[in-house]
Amino acid sequence: MKDCVIILSGGMDSVTLLYDYQERIALAVSFDYGSNHNSRELPFAALHCQRLGIEHLVIPLQFMGQYFNSSLLSGDDAIPDGDYADDNMKSTVVPFRNGIMLSVAVGLAESRNLKFVMMANHGGDHTIYPDCRPEFVSAFDAAARAGTFINIGLLSPYTHWTKGQIAKRGRELGIDYSETWSCYRGGERHCGRCGTCRERREALAEAGIDDPTQYEQ
């Protein structure tokens, strides 16, 4: 039954997906690509994989931090405050990040004779992240199937879900969201002001979960 590789950041969405589909996941892969919050996310990714007995790899992609333009790669001071609907949040886009990470994951899947790669994009990502949208998911699935001998597919079951719906699923699964990281600034505490912090707060409230997060504001 274990036929999937999951891209696992250590955030709310991918951790929920990990628990939701644990019976099918043979391998979790995280990427260290130089973002402000990588060092805060990756320990949580490792924690949950250890807890579930799922193999976990961390693959370095330092070239992205070196050559790509994004406020997510430029230090915590570069991260704007605001909701995802605000134009200034487009600065947090890391160009084609999911495409690059998915390509590596597809290579891992074929190397291990696994049939699917999973990612935890959701409906709230569609506003500013092109490589989270349904048309990208469909196109990448087609490319992965065409470009591999064993026709590896892309599974993204939360594509049309809200983050609140994901949090509700996490509540059903008994996930402790204090063991996840969202904030793009990557400080000692969640800042409470950036787009991911605001979205986190709203999702937990929608799911009826008492927010366990420590925020600066």
Side-chain angles (χ1 to χ4, degrees), residues 54-72:
I54 293 172
E55 183 183 356
H56 179 229
L57 299 179
V58 178
I59 294 180
L61 296 176
Q62 278 88 355
F63 71 90
M64 295 174 71
Q66 185 176 358
Y67 296 113
F68 288 16
N69 183 33
S70 169
S71 62
L72 203 62

Side-chain angles (χ1 to χ4, degrees), residues 31-151:
F31 295 95
D32 187 353
Y33 61 101
S35 74
N36 302 329
H37 61 306
N38 259 159
S39 64
R40 304 294 289 161
E41 286 184 314
L42 292 176
F44 286 127
L47 170 71
H48 292 291
C49 287
Q50 183 180 30
R51 186 173 291 163
L52 295 176
I54 293 172
E55 183 183 356
H56 179 229
L57 299 179
V58 178
I59 294 180
L61 296 176
Q62 278 88 355
F63 71 90
M64 295 174 71
Q66 185 176 358
Y67 296 113
F68 288 16
N69 183 33
S70 169
S71 62
L72 203 62
L73 307 171
S74 301
D76 59 352
D77 291 340
I79 299 296
D81 294 339
D83 294 318
Y84 274 130
D86 298 338
D87 284 343
N88 64 347
M89 287 303 293
K90 290 181 180 179
S91 75
T92 64
V93 173
V94 178
F96 209 59
R97 176 181 60 179
N98 283 346
I100 293 166
M101 293 179 178
L102 285 168
S103 295
V104 175
V106 168
L108 284 170
E110 185 154 46
S111 296
R112 297 189 178 214
N113 201 37
L114 300 171
K115 293 292 291 181
F116 298 98
V117 171
M118 305 188 77
M119 74 169 183
N121 61 306
H122 62 84
D125 294 328
H126 300 171
T127 304
I128 60 171
Y129 298 116
D131 56 359
C132 290
R133 295 171 183 163
E135 54 267 39
F136 170 82
V137 171
S138 297
F140 194 93
D141 175 71
R145 291 180 185 278
T148 55
F149 284 114
I150 59 175
N151 301 313

Side-chain angles (χ1 to χ4, degrees), residues 186-198:
E188 289 300 314
R189 297 182 179 183
H190 284 71
C191 74
R193 306 185 309 276
C194 70
T196 49
C197 282
R198 293 186 183 204

Side-chain angles (χ1 to χ4, degrees), residues 3 27-29 49 54 75 91 120 132 139-140 153 155 200 202 213:
D3 59 357
L27 175 66
V29 58
C49 287
I54 293 172
S91 75
C132 290
F140 194 93
L155 297 180
R200 179 186 180 95
E202 292 167 0
T213 312

